[in-house]
Amino acid sequence: MSQPSPQGATALALNIRGAVKHFGGARALSGASLAVRRGTVHGLVGQNGAGKSTLIKLLAGLHTLDEGVIEIEGQAQDTLTPHLAEELGIHFIHQDRLLVPTFTVGEALFLGREPRIAGTPFLDRRAMQRQAAAILDRYFGIRLPNSALIADLSTAEKQIVQITRALLHSPKILVFDEPTAALVRREADILFSLIRRLKEEGITIIYISHYLGEIEALCDTVTILRNGIDVATLAVRDTSAAAIASLMIERDIEEMFPKRTVAIGDPVLSVSRLSSPGKYHDISFTVRRGEVLGVTGLLGSGAKELLRTLFGLEPALSGEILAGGKAVRFKRPSDAVRDHLALVPEDRRGNGVALDLSVTENTTLAGLKRFTRLGFLDPARERAEVDGLIERLQVKTSGRDALLRALSGGNQQKVAIAKWLSRQSEIYLLDEPTVGVDVGSKVEIYKLIGELAERGAGVLVLSSDLAELVGITDRILVLFRGRVVKEFVSSDTSPDAVLAEATGSLEGRRHVG
Amino acid sequence: MSVDVSFTPTLGAENAAPQSRRRSWGGQAAAIALRGGSFVAFAAILLYFSLAAPFFFTLGNIGNVLGQSAILGVLAIGLTVVIIAGGSNVVTGGIDLSVAANMGFSAAVYASVIQLGYGDGPAVLASLSTGALIGAVNAFAVVVVGVVPLLATLAVMNVVAGLELVLTQNTVVPATTDFLSFLSAAGPFGLPVLAYGLLAFTAVATAVVQFTPTGLRLYATGEFPDAARAAGLPVRRLIAGSFLASGVCAGLAGILSVSYLSGSTTGAGDMLLPVVVTALLGTVFSRRLVPTITGTLLSALLVGFLVNGFQLMNISSTLVNGVQGLLIILVVSATTLLRRQEA
């Protein structure tokens, strides 16, 4: 953009230099800088814990700097408050859509700066509706009914309302924090065209995302944060997603899926002709010691329900399960745990870990019996075991007494797995083990899965990340509409081939051809 | 900067169509049934009583019901403001259990001030200040200390009930003044002044809560505090204000009750359940299934008409308690189910 700046002083809308921020003993930012040119789309990437959110909260006035300078439009801002940030024209589009569900679109848009009927203290609802309709039409070409409540809107429509709220304030800088996390592809495309249009109108955009493809498609410049420092700021057209990723994680992307050769042993879990009407039919497979079996399928394929059955969370009508060589029928999860099964659920925060308990408590919870002496907990034994596990799994935490809430998603997941390690389980059922986890932690979780196999456990991974499945498993079962439609040997296949089976696109072709 | 650049065609009309409406058809239907059903039920009750008791549907009787509902209505409207600003979750949301006790104490203060020989002016002032002060204590406990409203106002309720006993020595404190007689007398068209009072109060409260920015902000604060904060609203001040408003309403109800009963009597605490029922029931009379002032008025009148109808037909009024209980279970479970579906 060759727009001359009004004062001619600077072309930078935002210039953060040498930002340092501590939280207690932990250093969230250690001298990070971020220079954003006016009228550009500036990507901000980094693993969880790299300092992205701290940097953004500084900009929002929610935290104050320990050291460093924030300049907005060339003016140093020592005491940035949320109110001042808004006056300076900085607005945020949050991942969570902060809109009141029982409000109409007009009410949600104008909350906090409501138009009044001239000369009265009363709301001008008609003006709200009219202006809302006008601005939605102007920017998005959409029309939402005046009476529609926020609760009735789709996720994308809610996001549109949220962005429109910011536009009403004539923003100078708009910060998008993981805006596509809850959007489907087509909705994300709409968002991208909107962001390009906002850029055309001269608004400076800061775009935070885990998806490097989005950064490539959308941004002019990208700043990569790592360990609280900006390791590079690059022009996006001169770089590649792979290069950005490698800067983020200090390791080559090739090593994402550590290959290891493990001797495959005896069957540890055998399932034959398992059926549950309406969910899955006639499923048979075997997991051997040292083997990682992948299972995938779309929503409604029955894969999720199969996993739930294996852990005793829902019954199967017919069929057989052999665990550790003996026929079992789990009525409840505790039966499965007794027979050395372990489940790491997808909803980590809901079911996998207790956020308000410490690392120690979370780790020992599933196997408390091993840590008791005469019926009482033996803290020394707990400590030894937990410290060992923290060390082995490289859990990044301030110590075994830290609350799980304070850990990043990837590290919480490691604790969720550690819980079962301490229980010495033999069959691991992992449900979407890397969902919502950053790239670096993913690699460590993959390593951990490999390690489980090496120790002679059988591992079953349910995942919809097909690159991951192909990378870390030995075999892959594809479920489609409740049946196993294909079994792949992972080393002989590609994510694309698996995807074709899972989506049933080959099915159609077969019938046609 | 030009703004009417034509936008990319991806944003065509097909995107305006609802793509993934969150509320299911079943949920929509249930919501409509609940709202429609409540109005139909209201109409059916009126119709039934009008047919069964000829006196029921006369101006005089309707005025009576309005007048008799005035105290309940004013209290329930105060409580409604607290529920709006605190959120309608029955356990963790906004609730003010001290309203009934507050009314009793404010009434006792009014009657005592009259007994001491002061006029109506100081008594009104004392009564309203008492209500406001109790509201301020609630606000402090909830907003500053951070106690859950259910517990904070429960504690305040007990303290206030105790204070009333200390002040009145658990006796009736009579009070008759011209102002009080005026309030309890009949006004234009032979309708009780209290009936006009209730309608006027509802009109003012409706204007403030449903038609001003402050009202809208109260709703935002209760429904989704994070959104209210993101919009830069003073969330804590709004919640504190709601307790203050409910305290003032209780003070006002205290004055009405002194007039209605010609003095201050014990047993104000018995009003608590009907007040809570009325405020919660009110949500079914709004399109969005949220508490509203007009909804609360309608629900106060529904309860009033039920009692009145039963009396006219010589049905034991103890049955009314049962009906109230049923209504509350019905409404709370229906709205809970609907909300769960939306979540």
Side-chain angles (χ1 to χ4, degrees):
Chain A
M1 301 260 104
S2 57
Q3 265 180 351
S5 65
Q7 299 91 7
T10 173
L12 294 180
L14 170 71
N15 192 7
I16 300 178
R17 288 193 310 263
V20 176
K21 180 70 188 171
H22 297 265
F23 292 107
R27 193 171 238 229
L29 289 178
S30 34
S33 298
L34 177 65
V36 181
R37 275 186 302 124
R38 189 175 300 121
T40 61
V41 180
H42 196 114
L44 185 60
V45 300
Q47 293 186 51
N48 288 341
K52 277 176 308 184
S53 50
T54 310
L55 204 59
I56 291 314
K57 281 180 179 162
L58 285 169
L59 188 58
L62 294 169
H63 295 328
T64 47
L65 276 175
D66 293 342
E67 284 171 45
V69 192
I70 298 182
E71 282 178 13
I72 293 158
E73 299 287 334
Q75 297 285 315
Q77 301 291 343
D78 300 330
T79 50
L80 207 53
T81 61
H83 187 69
L84 183 58
E86 201 175 296
E87 280 194 348
L88 291 166
I90 307 175
H91 291 272
F92 297 83
I93 311 298
H94 294 279
Q95 205 171 337
D96 319 309
R97 273 147 287 277
L98 296 173
L99 299 168
V100 182
T102 56
F103 275 19
T104 64
V105 172
E107 289 168 345
L109 280 179
F110 291 99
L111 178 68
R113 49 183 340 240
E114 307 84 355
R116 288 160 206 236
I117 299 170
T120 73
F122 298 121
L123 285 172
D124 192 343
R125 284 216 156 79
R126 229 176 262 166
M128 280 159 67
Q129 287 174 357
R130 205 174 46 234
Q131 290 178 35
I135 195 161
L136 283 172
D137 185 54
R138 191 183 108 192
Y139 279 99
F140 303 92
I142 67 169
R143 198 167 302 139
L144 300 172
N146 283 337
S147 62
L149 302 186
I150 295 296
D152 299 332
L153 303 184
S154 72
T155 311
E157 285 166 341
K158 280 182 209 161
Q159 190 164 43
I160 284 176
V161 173
Q162 181 104 41
I163 295 171
T164 310
R165 251 193 83 84
L167 293 179
L168 287 173
H169 291 80
S170 335
K172 295 203 175 74
I173 301 177
L174 262 185
V175 182
F176 287 83
D177 190 358
E178 298 283 355
T180 57
L183 298 186
V184 300
R185 183 58 201 267
R186 210 169 64 91
E187 295 171 332
D189 286 341
I190 295 171
L191 176 72
F192 296 161
S193 10
L194 171 72
I195 289 178
R196 290 192 192 102
R197 156 118 184 228
L198 294 175
K199 176 187 157 180
E200 275 172 30
E201 294 199 4
I203 297 171
T204 308
I205 312 253
I206 298 176
Y207 190 88
I208 302 165
S209 181
H210 275 313
Y211 302 101
L212 299 182
E214 294 177 10
I215 300 286
E216 270 191 313
L218 204 59
C219 298
D220 303 304
T221 319
V222 60
T223 294
I224 298 116
L225 283 181
R226 189 170 76 212
N227 292 330
I229 284 224
D230 54 312
V231 288
T233 295
L234 307 167
V236 168
R237 87 174 89 78
D238 302 336
T239 185
S240 67
I244 296 174
S246 67
L247 280 165
M248 281 166 66
I249 57 177
E250 272 181 297
R251 67 166 72 80
D252 213 58
I253 196 105
E254 296 299 308
E255 289 169 22
M256 282 246 330
F257 305 117
K259 292 282 174 209
R260 47 178 79 220
T261 41
V262 179
I264 307 286
D266 300 330
V268 68
L269 176 71
S270 298
V271 170
S272 64
R273 309 193 63 87
L274 204 62
S275 293
S276 176
K279 291 171 180 165
Y280 51 80
H281 311 279
D282 203 15
I283 307 276
S284 304
F285 63 86
T286 302
V287 185
R288 294 165 180 276
R289 286 188 183 280
E291 188 179 38
V292 181
L293 176 69
V295 176
T296 192
L298 303 175
L299 205 66
S301 66
K304 207 115 228 166
E305 291 80 1
L306 175 64
L307 205 70
R308 288 173 57 82
T309 302
L310 292 179
F311 200 62
L313 285 164
E314 61 181 66
L317 189 70
S318 60
E320 240 186 6
I321 303 174
L322 291 168
K326 81 176 175 165
V328 291
R329 181 148 290 233
F330 300 137
K331 288 207 182 70
R332 54 189 74 85
S334 58
D335 296 346
V337 173
R338 196 190 51 229
D339 281 312
H340 305 291
L341 267 81
L343 174 72
V344 179
E346 174 180 10
D347 181 10
R348 184 167 57 237
R349 284 155 181 272
N351 307 319
V353 294
L355 290 177
D356 289 316
L357 293 182
S358 69
V359 173
T360 303
E361 286 160 330
N362 267 291
T363 314
T364 57
L365 213 51
L368 280 179
K369 234 184 230 165
R370 291 181 52 237
F371 304 104
T372 52
R373 183 173 289 170
L374 304 174
F376 292 97
L377 281 176
D378 179 352
R381 215 186 287 183
E382 270 193 326
R383 277 199 294 273
E385 172 91 15
V386 173
D387 286 345
L389 283 170
I390 289 176
E391 166 96 30
R392 236 187 61 214
L393 306 185
Q394 297 177 15
V395 179
K396 217 175 152 191
T397 165
S398 60
R400 65 178 109 80
D401 294 325
L403 296 188
L404 258 275
R405 194 175 284 288
L407 270 58
S408 71
N411 285 305
Q412 287 176 357
Q413 189 67 299
K414 286 186 204 166
V415 172
I417 298 173
K419 174 168 88 175
W420 296 111
L421 284 177
S422 86
R423 186 89 177 46
Q424 310 205 304
S425 307
E426 292 184 339
I427 303 160
Y428 287 83
L429 311 173
L430 310 179
D431 187 358
E432 303 285 355
T434 60
V435 74
V437 160
D438 65 76
V439 186
S441 303
K442 273 186 183 173
V443 176
E444 278 165 16
I445 289 170
Y446 297 152
K447 269 191 190 157
L448 185 55
I449 292 172
E451 224 175 277
L452 294 175
E454 247 176 10
R455 285 157 50 108
V459 184
L460 191 152
V461 180
L462 175 66
S463 176
S464 45
D465 182 339
L466 299 177
E468 160 181 308
L469 266 195
V470 171
I472 62 169
T473 61
D474 296 301
R475 286 181 298 134
I476 298 171
L477 294 182
V478 181
L479 270 72
F480 184 73
R481 297 207 175 139
R483 292 176 192 279
V484 175
V485 290
K486 182 79 181 175
E487 180 177 335
F488 288 102
V489 173
S490 306
S491 51
D492 296 341
T493 189
S494 67
D496 295 347
V498 179
L499 182 68
E501 290 290 347
T503 54
S505 46
L506 293 180
E507 191 94 336
R509 212 175 303 157
R510 266 185 222 124
H511 285 294
V512 176
Chain B
M1 217 160 295
S2 147
V3 278
D4 28 16
V5 188
S6 76
F7 201 26
T8 45
T10 46
L11 281 174
E14 84 268 15
N15 292 314
Q19 288 150 14
S20 55
R21 295 282 184 230
R22 275 171 77 198
R23 228 187 280 173
S24 65
W25 278 110
Q28 294 263 31
I32 291 167
L34 185 60
R35 283 192 297 264
S38 50
F39 280 106
V40 169
F42 200 149
I45 287 167
L46 292 186
L47 191 68
Y48 174 75
F49 283 132
S50 327
L51 294 177
F55 180 63
F56 182 82
F57 203 71
T58 58
L59 192 61
N61 189 49
I62 292 172
N64 271 342
V65 171
L66 274 170
Q68 283 161 2
S69 306
I71 297 169
L72 175 75
V74 170
L75 283 178
I77 284 171
L79 179 56
T80 303
V81 175
V82 171
I83 295 176
I84 290 171
S88 44
N89 183 315
V90 181
V91 179
T92 58
I95 191 88
D96 184 353
L97 295 181
S98 70
V99 278
N102 186 344
M103 175 200 74
F105 185 52
S106 299
V109 167
Y110 192 104
S112 303
V113 171
I114 296 293
Q115 286 286 317
L116 287 172
Y118 296 96
D120 283 308
V124 167
L125 201 66
S127 190
L128 292 180
S129 322
T130 303
L133 188 70
I134 294 167
V137 173
N138 283 326
F140 178 82
V142 170
V143 174
V144 181
V145 184
V147 186
V148 185
L150 189 73
L151 295 179
T153 58
L154 183 67
V156 169
M157 172 185 101
N158 278 318
V159 172
V160 169
L163 285 175
E164 188 195 340
L165 287 181
V166 171
L167 182 65
T168 65
Q169 303 297 324
N170 204 9
T171 57
V172 173
V173 184
T176 27
T177 67
D178 292 347
F179 174 64
L180 293 176
S181 312
F182 162 75
L183 279 182
S184 56
F189 305 109
L191 302 182
V193 172
L194 284 178
Y196 291 106
L198 176 62
L199 292 180
F201 181 75
T202 307
V204 172
T206 305
V208 174
V209 173
Q210 318 296 156
F211 294 103
T212 66
T214 309
L216 192 68
R217 292 166 183 199
L218 285 174
Y219 276 106
T221 303
E223 289 281 334
F224 199 169
D226 284 344
R229 253 175 241 120
L233 304 185
V235 168
R236 288 155 57 94
R237 241 189 297 158
L238 286 165
I239 295 175
S242 75
F243 281 104
L244 218 57
S246 136
V248 172
C249 286
L252 182 63
I255 299 173
L256 301 184
S257 93
V258 172
S259 144
Y260 193 67
L261 303 167
S262 306
S264 135
T265 63
T266 54
D270 295 344
M271 284 288 283
L272 179 60
L273 198 63
V275 170
V276 173
V277 170
T278 304
L280 291 179
L281 186 60
T283 58
V284 298
F285 295 113
S286 86
R287 178 173 84 89
R288 309 180 198 183
L289 293 179
V290 294
T292 58
I293 302 299
T294 40
T296 299
L297 176 72
L298 284 177
S299 111
L301 293 182
L302 176 64
V303 172
F305 279 122
L306 270 178
V307 176
N308 178 257
F310 279 31
Q311 282 165 351
L312 290 180
M313 295 177 64
N314 285 323
I315 302 173
S316 162
S317 64
T318 45
L319 264 180
V320 173
N321 284 334
V323 173
Q324 283 184 10
L326 276 178
L327 281 175
I328 193 89
I329 289 179
L330 216 71
V331 168
V332 172
S333 39
T335 43
T336 307
L337 284 173
L338 281 174
R339 280 182 183 253
R340 194 179 306 156
Q341 220 169 24
E342 282 169 25

